[in-house]
């Protein structure tokens, strides 16, 4: 019986369908080599009402070994110096949204203890960066929404890492400090949105700008042109419409920095939703 007519009903159906497969997901081993670096267009709570989006995210996760742990950087947390979320098992989620059905704020995603990951992450970033732990801050929706679809069993330790600034070049360097974690079976994720325009909701004709930006980003990634990606304000068509603010674009640059070869970018998800690109990519 489908529950898709309910708020997050597509997510209920997703869980019922994929949890047995998720439970059998093979864990990463060193022989697998470094996990990729990911950029995910995370969506809002309405992602949990989109069966295709949920299935695409899960299928993507299943194409890789299950990570030993996940470090995720979300568009919704800028904090300097760098900060990490609470690492204790079952730290309550941070429901950083409003205007949606109350049910979205009752959905759980209780991940395992991530103390070892937090310790490893702090050591990786030090001494260049001071890291503070916000023990009571759980994952925000830029982190838990995509992970609920990708790893629905909630059986992977997760730590969310703040962006210490929105400076593009600095975030590429910040991502580079996380690169070595990939060799240890840690999945590094930048979570934002390939285009993030509210104006396009009111003026569908503006979708030409978000589409142009998306096509430019694909080309720049394919060429491994990190300079162009960091200078997107001047070089990308439609940037003012696609990203009136930087926050949902720059997690891509963290993922680019964490990649060994940004030019290896492959699109795991490639479609437009409500005039915006939800393109999500992985890089070696």
């Amino acid at each position: 019986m489908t529950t898709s007519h309910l708020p997050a009903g597509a997510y209920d159906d997703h869980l019922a369908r994929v949890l047995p497969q998720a439970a059998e997901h093979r864990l990463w081993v060193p022989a697998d080599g470094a996990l990729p670096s990911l950029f995910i267009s995370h969506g809002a709570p309405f992602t949990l009402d989109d069966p295709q989006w949920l299935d695409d995210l899960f299928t993507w996760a299943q194409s890789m070994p299950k990570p030993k742990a996940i470090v995720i950087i979300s568009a919704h947390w800028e904090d300097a110096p760098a900060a990490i979320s609470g690492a204790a098992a079952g730290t309550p989620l941070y429901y950083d949204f409003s205007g949606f059905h109350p049910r979205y704020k009752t959905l759980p995603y209780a991940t395992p203890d991530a103390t070892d990951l937090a310790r490893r992450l702090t050591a990786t970033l030090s001494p260049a960066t001071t890291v503070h732990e916000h023990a009571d801050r759980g994952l925000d929706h830029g982190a838990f929404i995509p992970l609920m679809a990708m790893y629905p069993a909630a059986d992977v330790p997760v730590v969310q890492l703040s962006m210490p600034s929105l400076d593009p070049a600095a975030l590429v360097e910040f991502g580079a400090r996380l690169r070595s974690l990939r060799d240890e079976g840690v999945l590094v994720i930048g979570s934002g949105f390939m285009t993030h325009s509210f104006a396009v909701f009111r003026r569908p004709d503006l979708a030409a700008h978000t589409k142009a930006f998306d096509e430019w980003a694909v080309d720049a990634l394919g060429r491994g042109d990190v300079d162009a990606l960091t200078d997107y304000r001047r070089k990308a068509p439609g940037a003012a419409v696609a990203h009136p603010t930087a926050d949902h674009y720059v997690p891509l640059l963290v993922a680019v920095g964490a990649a060994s070869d940004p030019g290896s970018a492959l699109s795991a998800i490639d479609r437009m939703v409500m005039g915006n690109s939800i393109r999500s990519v992985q890089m070696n």
Side-chain angles (χ1 to χ4, degrees), residues 75-93:
H76 298 280
W77 193 14
E78 181 190 357
D79 196 353
I84 59 175
S85 61
T91 298
L93 299 177

Side-chain angles (χ1 to χ4, degrees), residues 20 98 126 159 162 166 189 238 261:
S98 60
S126 299
V159 165
S162 74
L166 297 180
I189 301 175
D261 178 14

